[in-house]
């Protein structure tokens, strides 16, 4: 587990953890971080904790594409108001009201590939 690991790298601005077999995304910082871009593609992430992005008040790009995410906690959007770009394509998304808060920031070159697995 890599809980609050960004506390050891407070000046880090861009982090790519692509293809690292991360299954759950818990809290990655317990104090303010300068991280702006976080790439977590192709890890097999199933669950994102509501507190995962707390203290990442400069984060503007989050790439969660190619994982196993069905839904995201609605509080996640509130905890990172600076988030402008969210990539979710390649996930088995369940599109209900919980994803409504994220619609305006889902984008990127692959945004047309972000589809709902359920309901059809």
């Amino acid at each position: 587990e890599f809980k609050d690991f960004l506390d050891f790298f407070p000046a880090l601005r861009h982090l790519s953890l692509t293809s690292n077999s991360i299954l759950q995304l818990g809290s990655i910082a317990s104090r303010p971080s300068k991280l702006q871009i976080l790439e977590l593609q192709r890890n097999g992430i199933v669950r994102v904790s509501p507190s995962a992005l707390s203290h990442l008040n400069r984060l503007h790009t989050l790439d969660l594409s190619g994982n196993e995410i069905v839904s995201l906690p609605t509080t996640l959007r509130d905890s990172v108001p600076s988030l402008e770009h969210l990539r979710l394509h390649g996930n088995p998304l369940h599109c209900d009201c919980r994803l409504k808060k994220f619609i305006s920031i889902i984008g990127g070159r692959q945004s047309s590939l972000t589809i709902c697995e359920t309901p059809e």
Side-chain angles (χ1 to χ4, degrees), residues 36-100:
Q36 297 173 355
I37 300 169
L38 179 57
E39 298 173 341
L40 294 164
Q41 312 93 299
R42 297 182 306 279
N43 273 290
I45 296 171
V46 178
R47 182 179 176 276
V48 177
S49 164
S51 64
L53 306 178
S54 296
H55 305 290
L56 301 183
N57 42 354
R58 294 186 182 185
L59 188 70
H60 64 73
T61 301
L62 176 61
D63 192 339
L64 292 168
S65 58
N67 283 288
E68 298 297 323
I69 297 168
V70 174
S71 189
L72 293 172
T74 56
T75 55
L76 196 69
R77 180 71 177 115
D78 298 330
S79 65
V80 190
S82 60
L83 194 61
E84 297 175 8
H85 306 287
L86 176 62
R87 296 184 183 104
L88 288 173
H89 62 278
N91 283 287
L93 296 172
H94 175 73
C95 297
D96 60 7
C97 292
R98 289 176 289 183
L99 285 180
K100 205 175 203 180

Side-chain angles (χ1 to χ4, degrees), residues 63 65 84-91 93 95 102-116:
D63 192 339
S65 58
E84 297 175 8
H85 306 287
L86 176 62
R87 296 184 183 104
L88 288 173
H89 62 278
N91 283 287
L93 296 172
C95 297
F102 302 97
I103 290 174
S104 66
I105 60 172
I106 294 174
R109 297 185 318 257
Q110 306 287 326
S111 64
S112 63
L113 298 175
T114 304
I115 56 171
C116 300

